[in-house]
Amino acid sequence: MIRKPFHYGGTVGKLHFCNRTIEINELKADLDSGLNLLLYAPRRFGKTSLVLHTLKQTDYQYIFLDFMSIVDEHEFINEYFNAIAKSLNTTADKVVDFFKKILKITPNISVNFDINGAPSFKLNFLHSENKIVLKEVLELPYLYAKHHKKRVVVIFDEFQEVVNLGIEDKLRSVLQHHEDLVSYLFLGSKKSIMTNLFFNSTKPFHKSVKHLPINAIEAQHWQSYIQEGFATHKKTIAPAHIDAILAVSKGFPYYTQQIASELFNGVEKHVADDSVAEAVTALLEKEEDLFLNEWNRLSQQQKKALKFLIHFGGENIYQKEKMETFNFTSSSLKKAVEGLVAKDVIDMKQHCYYLQDPLFELFLKRM
Ligand SMILES: Nc1ncnc2c1ncn2[C@@H]1O[C@H](COP(=O)(O)OP(=O)(O)OP(=O)(O)O)[C@@H](O)[C@H]1O
Ligand SMILES: [Mg+2]
């Protein structure tokens, strides 16, 4: 049985990866130049996939830490320590020996093995020792790189969560001394928090990174990717149907894969004309809870402003007649729009507001 050609949910690697050649090349070049990088995009846009897929094509040793589930400083230290230890890719004994040699504190390290024999590492220390252990662990990638005379890359995924841990100042003060040997990649799905962290002159990470842009994947690449995916199982899909998928997904990777996958699963041989519309309706039904949650976390004014934006489009929104239709004053509309930007529901491109999530937009249009 040949593997299914489309995949959504979680990161995708070589098998399901569509294009992004420009981003991959830029990322490689930036890493070779020893830069620290900032990459933000909406949820499920392909950030983690892009970075891991690219790193796997290089010789860099990389450490990957996802901040999403980390709740406090103590847990950060242990999760980071574990991520560093795992990246060493050697036996558990050698990892422990190495840390004993390199750490100034005398570490109490325990190792557990899962059912596949893969180790996970834990540093045992008291909460009262957080400060000192944090500093030591933050230095580890640098010490490792120095010891082995090779550059190390650290990926901090969902980095916006750092603001809940209260360790930004400490992180910055340690990491800024690592430039010659460690590159840090900060990924995030909350543009508002990420830009505030890195571009607000009062914040610790101000100007410490280069921003790496990541765009929706272009239609031409999806055309060949989706056609080839269908062909692996001797099925076909017309270019016009792929255009219809992209008209809805706007090239947003997760949704493009999801719709393609629905279509693929539902067809014997050739995709029929009304199948795309049916697949989109099915998708909206599947995601209804998620979209309703998204809707319910907005204030009444923000809900109204979203309806306004959907009705009039995102350009020249402060025209008097438009505002009057929705009973907005310029200050009440401004406040609601700023709230929607802060909640990462909308963003602005070329003086035009747009909803970040194309399927949420469609959901609201049909609501
Ligand atoms: N280059 C790509 N080619 C094809 N599909 C992709 C690509 N990148 C991402 N996807 C699709 O998007 C989904 C989400 O990708 P990924 O987890 O990398 O995004 P993310 O931005 O890191 O999301 P999150 O914010 O949820 O962590 C994947 O499961 C896949 O369906
Ligand atoms: Mg991710």
Side-chain angles (χ1 to χ4, degrees):
M1 184 68 198
I2 313 171
R3 187 187 295 269
K4 288 207 172 169
F6 305 110
H7 179 89
Y8 58 97
T11 53
V12 288
K14 208 161 59 202
L15 280 175
H16 297 105
F17 203 89
C18 173
N19 195 260
R20 291 236 196 269
T21 314
I22 293 173
E23 285 95 341
I24 292 171
N25 289 339
E26 187 171 347
L27 177 51
K28 283 183 185 166
D30 288 342
L31 290 174
D32 290 343
S33 312
L35 296 174
N36 292 330
L37 297 167
L38 167 66
L39 192 160
Y40 52 75
R43 293 231 63 186
R44 314 198 281 194
F45 202 72
K47 303 172 290 292
T48 311
S49 300
L50 168 67
V51 168
L52 292 180
H53 181 61
T54 306
L55 259 304
K56 282 183 189 140
Q57 297 171 27
T58 71
D59 293 329
Y60 291 109
Q61 188 194 325
Y62 62 90
I63 297 159
F64 178 86
L65 180 70
D66 186 349
F67 275 66
M68 193 51 106
S69 65
I70 297 176
V71 294
D72 63 14
E73 187 180 20
H74 197 88
E75 193 173 23
F76 167 78
I77 297 170
N78 252 319
E79 292 292 332
Y80 193 29
F81 178 75
N82 186 35
I84 296 167
K86 280 185 171 169
S87 81
L88 302 183
N89 246 334
T90 178
T91 62
D93 288 348
K94 283 194 179 147
V95 170
V96 173
D97 282 349
F98 176 71
F99 285 135
K100 288 199 166 142
K101 214 182 318 169
I102 210 166
L103 283 164
K104 280 194 219 118
I105 51 169
T106 315
N108 177 350
I109 302 169
S110 49
V111 187
N112 285 310
F113 295 89
D114 68 13
I115 45 169
N116 300 317
S120 67
F121 302 84
K122 193 168 186 300
L123 262 184
N124 301 304
F125 60 101
L126 302 171
H127 281 271
S128 59
E129 296 170 315
N130 277 1
K131 289 278 163 296
I132 171 107
V133 183
L134 173 64
K135 187 161 186 320
E136 286 273 306
V137 170
L138 287 178
E139 293 290 2
L140 278 177
Y142 185 78
L143 295 175
Y144 178 87
K146 207 162 138 184
H147 190 84
H148 290 275
K149 298 190 176 58
K150 64 174 187 186
R151 199 167 184 83
V152 168
V153 176
V154 176
I155 303 152
F156 284 145
D157 203 359
E158 304 294 348
F159 186 67
Q160 70 274 346
E161 304 301 320
V162 76
V163 298
N164 303 319
L165 307 179
I167 54 171
E168 295 136 80
D169 289 335
K170 190 81 211 161
L171 270 182
R172 164 74 171 146
S173 74
V174 177
L175 308 195
Q176 67 182 341
H177 300 298
H178 293 176
E179 256 164 42
D180 53 329
L181 285 172
V182 187
S183 294
Y184 289 92
L185 254 92
F186 302 95
L187 317 189
S189 45
K190 296 262 156 56
K191 181 183 173 187
S192 46
I193 304 180
M194 293 296 276
T195 49
N196 190 34
L197 271 171
F198 288 91
F199 300 128
N200 178 337
S201 59
T202 66
K203 295 286 181 204
F205 287 95
H206 179 56
K207 277 195 177 159
S208 58
V209 292
K210 178 195 152 180
H211 172 216
L212 185 81
I214 170 172
N215 292 308
I217 297 167
E218 288 167 16
Q220 64 191 58
H221 304 303
W222 281 123
Q223 278 285 351
S224 46
Y225 176 89
I226 295 174
Q227 299 233 6
E228 282 161 23
F230 274 76
T232 56
H233 286 62
K234 302 203 166 32
K235 300 182 184 187
T236 60
I237 178 165
H241 295 141
I242 301 177
D243 284 338
I245 300 175
L246 298 175
V248 172
S249 76
K250 299 190 176 153
F252 207 97
Y254 180 91
Y255 292 132
T256 310
Q257 290 263 17
Q258 193 175 10
I259 302 169
S261 176
E262 291 269 351
L263 283 172
F264 177 85
N265 291 338
V267 69
E268 268 306 309
K269 276 233 146 314
H270 311 291
V271 172
D273 280 344
D274 46 6
S275 305
V276 177
E278 283 166 15
V280 171
T281 302
L283 186 160
L284 287 175
E285 279 168 15
K286 221 186 230 171
E287 303 284 348
E288 186 178 358
D289 285 351
L290 190 97
F291 292 145
L292 280 176
N293 277 341
E294 186 79 2
W295 178 245
N296 286 329
R297 74 187 181 98
L298 305 177
S299 72
Q300 289 310 110
Q301 286 293 85
Q302 289 166 350
K303 287 177 180 171
K304 201 166 83 169
L306 261 193
K307 290 198 169 181
F308 174 100
L309 290 174
I310 286 171
H311 186 79
F312 288 118
E315 250 174 326
N316 301 321
I317 59 170
Y318 294 106
Q319 279 171 3
K320 206 160 161 250
E321 318 79 69
K322 288 183 184 172
M323 290 194 296
E324 273 169 8
T325 319
F326 276 74
N327 197 19
F328 270 124
T329 61
S330 51
S331 67
S332 63
L333 179 60
K334 184 163 179 283
K335 190 168 167 228
V337 163
E338 282 170 0
L340 290 170
V341 171
K343 285 182 176 166
D344 288 290
V345 178
I346 63 171
D347 197 5
M348 184 185 250
K349 205 167 20 192
Q350 287 148 3
H351 306 289
C352 183
Y353 287 104
Y354 66 96
L355 270 80
Q356 288 205 12
D357 186 327
L359 263 290
F360 184 48
E361 179 174 353
L362 190 60
F363 175 81
L364 296 179
K365 280 182 180 158
R366 293 190 185 178
M367 195 160 81

